[in-house]
Amino acid sequence: MAPWALLSPGVLVRTGHTVLTWGITLVLFLHDTALRQWEEQGELLLPLTFLLLVLGSLLLYLAVSLMDPGYVNVQPQEEAKQEQTAMVPQVIPLRRCRYCMVLQPLRARHCSECRRCVRRYDHHCPWMENCVGERNHPLFVAYLALQLLVLLWGLYLAWSGLRFFQPWGLWLRSSGLLFATFLLLSLFSIVAGLLLASHLYLVASNTTTWEFMSSHRIAYLRQRPGNPFDRGLTRNLAHFFCQWPAASWEALGAEEEEEEEGSSQAV
């Protein structure tokens, strides 16, 4: 195999993220920021905490980007269909993916980038070079929260090292790189904050980015008003982060259908 064949988009993206993360951290340590002042004063707790948070965010990033997001298995398809038919009323029948020919569970979608069907598909993240789905979505939200904390702390550290009352040439040589880092951290903080807020909203209502953006194109959402998977804030959060109650989306869809039929009969 040629060496350049190993440089897949995923390897390049993850390497770039790692280099950028430690590069920004190094800039914050080398300039006269609060981080360096704490270090010179012997107050090592805060610098060590910052380093541990940076390391934690990087490890979470790698975990989310490398793990299986919830690919639909190919082999036990017919068995899965028979089992599901026995357990769940076929209110919403399974459909077969026209690309990889697997039977798609409810809320699954085929990803053209990964070339696989993903359970509870949310989106394909280009910065991760991986899908965000049923298995890694909780870790993705945790990563966004930790990354935002690190970015905001880094933003404060970069600002603490900027000295504006200097001649232009001297300022550019002493603080130009730190100011560029400050601008970069500002941009990343805005993006991470918006992403975290949007995903917390989606989690609270038990919906996905794909369902939110394309509800008019999804059969199981077009057929009924509202979100059939919303069970209230507490149950939505418990199911998302703790997988409780442990039930398939088909079962929840059937439960919703029964509740609607019961309400209509009562009226």
Side-chain angles (χ1 to χ4, degrees):
M1 181 181 293
W4 56 83
L6 299 175
L7 298 178
S8 65
V11 173
L12 293 176
V13 167
R14 293 173 194 117
T15 302
H17 179 89
T18 303
V19 171
L20 185 62
T21 297
W22 290 119
I24 290 176
T25 305
L26 185 62
V27 169
L28 295 176
F29 267 101
L30 292 180
H31 285 77
D32 189 22
T33 63
L35 197 63
R36 186 172 179 179
Q37 294 170 12
W38 294 331
E39 184 183 1
E40 292 175 349
Q41 294 169 5
E43 300 175 1
L44 300 181
L45 179 59
L46 289 175
L48 286 176
T49 302
F50 180 74
L51 281 176
L52 288 176
L53 289 177
V54 171
L55 180 61
S57 70
L58 185 58
L59 291 177
L60 268 179
Y61 166 83
L62 293 174
V64 175
S65 64
L66 292 172
M67 73 182 296
D68 177 355
Y71 294 128
V72 179
N73 295 326
V74 178
Q75 295 179 349
Q77 290 294 297
E78 294 303 325
E79 296 178 6
K81 182 178 181 180
Q82 294 174 4
E83 180 182 354
Q84 181 176 318
T85 303
M87 295 177 59
V88 182
Q90 291 301 291
V91 177
I92 304 175
L94 290 174
R95 62 176 183 173
R96 190 174 293 277
C97 176
R98 60 179 177 175
Y99 298 104
C100 54
M101 301 307 294
V102 300
L103 289 171
Q104 288 184 334
L106 198 61
R107 309 188 80 180
R109 181 175 184 262
H110 184 86
C111 175
S112 58
E113 297 291 333
C114 298
R115 300 180 182 178
R116 298 279 300 275
C117 284
V118 180
R119 294 177 182 273
R120 197 185 178 277
Y121 175 86
D122 188 87
H123 71 287
H124 183 89
C125 180
W127 190 245
M128 298 279 181
E129 197 56 34
N130 193 17
C131 277
V132 175
E134 189 170 69
R135 290 192 61 194
N136 64 351
H137 199 176
L139 278 182
F140 180 74
V141 174
Y143 160 72
L144 287 178
L146 183 57
Q147 186 67 78
L148 181 61
L149 176 62
V150 171
L151 287 169
L152 292 176
W153 196 352
L155 199 62
Y156 160 75
L157 294 173
W159 180 259
S160 70
L162 292 175
R163 306 289 184 267
F164 294 101
F165 301 102
Q166 293 177 339
W168 170 251
L170 178 62
W171 180 86
L172 192 61
R173 287 193 299 271
S174 63
S175 302
L177 181 59
L178 187 61
F179 184 67
T181 300
F182 175 80
L183 294 179
L184 197 61
L185 289 172
S186 300
L187 176 62
F188 288 163
S189 298
I190 293 172
V191 172
L194 291 175
L195 279 174
L196 179 61
S198 63
H199 277 274
L200 287 177
Y201 169 78
L202 293 173
V203 169
S205 58
N206 200 349
T207 189
T208 65
T209 302
W210 163 246
E211 291 170 343
F212 182 80
M213 300 294 293
S214 305
S215 58
H216 61 287
R217 298 168 53 189
I218 303 175
Y220 60 81
L221 294 181
R222 288 201 315 263
Q223 296 171 358
R224 65 193 70 190
N227 179 9
F229 308 108
D230 188 0
R231 290 297 182 271
L233 176 62
T234 303
R235 292 185 67 184
N236 290 342
L237 293 177
H239 186 83
F240 182 79
F241 288 107
C242 306
Q243 294 300 308
W244 182 88
S248 66
W249 300 119
E250 289 81 8
L252 290 177
E255 179 185 332
E256 175 73 14
E257 193 77 15
E258 291 175 357
E259 289 177 359
E260 290 180 0
E261 291 179 358
S263 299
S264 62
Q265 291 175 2
V267 173

